[in-house]
Amino acid sequence: MAQITLGSEAKGWENTNPSRSTALREKAEGLNEKIMAIASNINECISKAVNKEPTIIDGDEPKDEKESSIEVGRVWTEQELNAYVNSAKDEAKIAGVKINIAV
């Protein structure tokens, strides 16, 4: 915005005061260089910040082989399945499941 204003003023002074017009053009060009330097500095800072950040991995962390093999081989009892189905039907909001086991 300041560059446009300085350019307009320089154009206005072109015929009446050429030295002032030249000075205003130089100021506008100097602003251009400053803006480019600031943009370059910002890009460098962003690049450094991105390179320092740890990478984000999607998904859960892998489980131990023992844990995963136990879960895969696990068979649910009929009582556990019934309790699960009943809780889903009733939309019960119970933290746990009650299982009666005959001893």
Side-chain angles (χ1 to χ4, degrees), residues 26-103:
E26 288 174 1
K27 280 186 181 181
E29 289 172 7
L31 283 177
N32 227 2
E33 292 172 12
K34 287 181 181 180
I35 290 171
M36 294 302 288
I38 290 170
S40 176
N41 189 17
I42 289 170
N43 284 337
E44 286 177 24
C45 291
I46 290 173
S47 295
K48 287 178 185 177
V50 167
N51 290 333
K52 286 183 181 179
E53 287 294 316
T55 56
I56 299 172
I57 300 172
D58 290 338
D60 297 331
E61 292 181 15
K63 297 180 180 181
D64 292 340
E65 289 181 25
K66 291 179 183 177
E67 283 184 41
S68 60
S69 64
I70 291 171
E71 288 179 10
V72 171
R74 185 177 187 284
V75 178
W76 286 46
T77 64
E78 187 176 343
Q79 198 170 17
E80 288 174 320
L81 289 172
N82 289 336
Y84 177 76
V85 170
N86 290 337
S87 68
K89 284 181 187 174
D90 298 336
E91 294 182 18
K93 297 181 180 177
I94 301 172
V97 177
K98 294 181 181 177
I99 300 175
N100 295 326
I101 301 175
V103 181

Side-chain angles (χ1 to χ4, degrees), residues 9-27:
E9 282 189 48
K11 187 114 178 140
W13 288 104
E14 220 169 42
N15 296 328
T16 55
N17 192 347
S19 62
R20 183 173 177 133
S21 175
T22 304
L24 290 173
R25 284 188 201 281
E26 288 174 1
K27 280 186 181 181

